[in-house]
Amino acid sequence: MDNAPTRQDAAQQATWPPPMPSESAPAVGETTTHHDDSGQINARTLINLRWVAISGQILTVIAVHFGLKYPLPLVAVAAVIAAAIIANIIAVEWMRRQPRLDGTTAAVWLAFDILQLAVLLFLTGGLENPFSLMILAPVTVSATILSFGTTIALSVATLLVATGLAVMHLPLPWKAEGFGLPSVYVLGLWAAFVISVLFITSYVWRVADEARRMRDALAATQLALAREQRMSAVGGLAAAAAHELGSPLSTIAVVTTELSRAVPDESPLFEDIELLKSESRRCSDILARLSRAPQSGMAKPFERVPLTAVVDEAISDREVEGVEIIVEAHPWSEESGDGAAVTSEQPAVLHRPEMVHGLATLIENATQFARETVEISVTWTADSYTVQIDDDGPGFTPIVMQRLGEPYVSSRSGRGGHMGLGIFIAKTLLERTGARLSFENRRDRGASVTVAWPSA
């Protein structure tokens, strides 16, 4: 029976690298000041706010025209309110297909609200209308949920509208004939309006942006804690396995030794028994490393060695029959065009167990799925150094590619002892050394994993 693993299984058994340092996302706990609107605004929120605004407009018109007996251009006002109702009905249909809006779409909706209020105020006295302050509502909403650039654009539009309403509007229908507000008072209203727009929107945006950054920082902290908890659980599992498997492996070693003595060399079972002996010794060595105190593996924590020495140590005992491992080490080519400074001197790195074990896991995974060769390229510049591991196997499947690095993800989980922890453990260990990992499929055939460290 052919029990050769698939690349999908491998991806969940070993751990491969994320993006290069220059391409990586911010480190855990690091936040950015840029706010991305895409996909962040709930359409239902804007729709409900507009229904509230429309209800207020209708009640105000009824109270002023029919209750206070102020003559309003009722037909024109009703047409403007009807336009808002139609727009909101269209928005409800839109929400059924796309419940979340990008920043541009939300900005267009709020711009429509500014325009609708502007026309309504034009028909009812402009800035002299006591309800003219309601035009601040759309730009305030923008400051709460949209980016700074979008809020600035809507604020400028609001100021232009306010300036136009200060000089062009239908007269407010006062009961007293010939009564009107002095022009200096209207100018004061305009100035107060401008100051309100600038102050309220800038203050609200700063408060909302600070809340967004605190939220992002909290999410990053929770992610880091969850990852550390999962790694601690894996460490406990390894210690328990080392303790529980010691006795059975000793028994297996004794039995296989006795069998090798009892079975003649020419027996067809002799080679299988020798294989069992070598594999049991290998398991014993692995368990010994797992059960060893952390300090014992770090006798010389500040010893620096060439990067290729770390790779050679990771390769030891990882050879697979029929698979050739080729290692090349050289400075990054000037023809790469990335603009990085090139140095001919190979970097000396701290000899850390996390780096050795993480690279060893990735190399072992590559040898399991390679057809003939595994190519390991060690390159460096003055700013960074990388280890790239390429194999000529089947490559990663698209589904597995999306979930690389997650624990307990394997199509072979529970079968043959595969738990889908290899890539997760290797990725976590290497990232503790400051590495960034990236995974991709080669153009011809096979998978490629790049581990990159900044020189600092």
Side-chain angles (χ1 to χ4, degrees), residues 60 64 70-73 77 120-132 165 168-181 185-186 189:
T60 301
V64 171
Y70 279 81
L72 297 176
V77 168
L120 201 58
L121 290 172
F122 173 80
L123 297 171
T124 56
L127 291 189
E128 298 177 15
N129 190 321
F131 293 97
S132 60
L165 290 174
M168 293 187 302
H169 58 81
L170 297 181
L172 192 66
W174 300 100
K175 285 186 176 180
E177 287 293 333
F179 179 79
L181 293 176
Y185 183 81
V186 175
L189 286 176

Side-chain angles (χ1 to χ4, degrees), residues 74 93 176 195 198 227 293 397:
L74 199 58
E93 293 299 321
I195 294 173
L198 296 178
R227 190 174 185 86
T397 63

Side-chain angles (χ1 to χ4, degrees), residues 387-411:
V387 175
Q388 183 172 326
I389 305 169
D390 299 334
D391 65 64
D392 57 354
F396 297 114
T397 63
I399 295 178
V400 170
M401 184 82 75
Q402 297 175 359
R403 304 189 61 187
L404 282 174
E406 296 182 14
Y408 305 108
V409 178
S410 174
S411 59

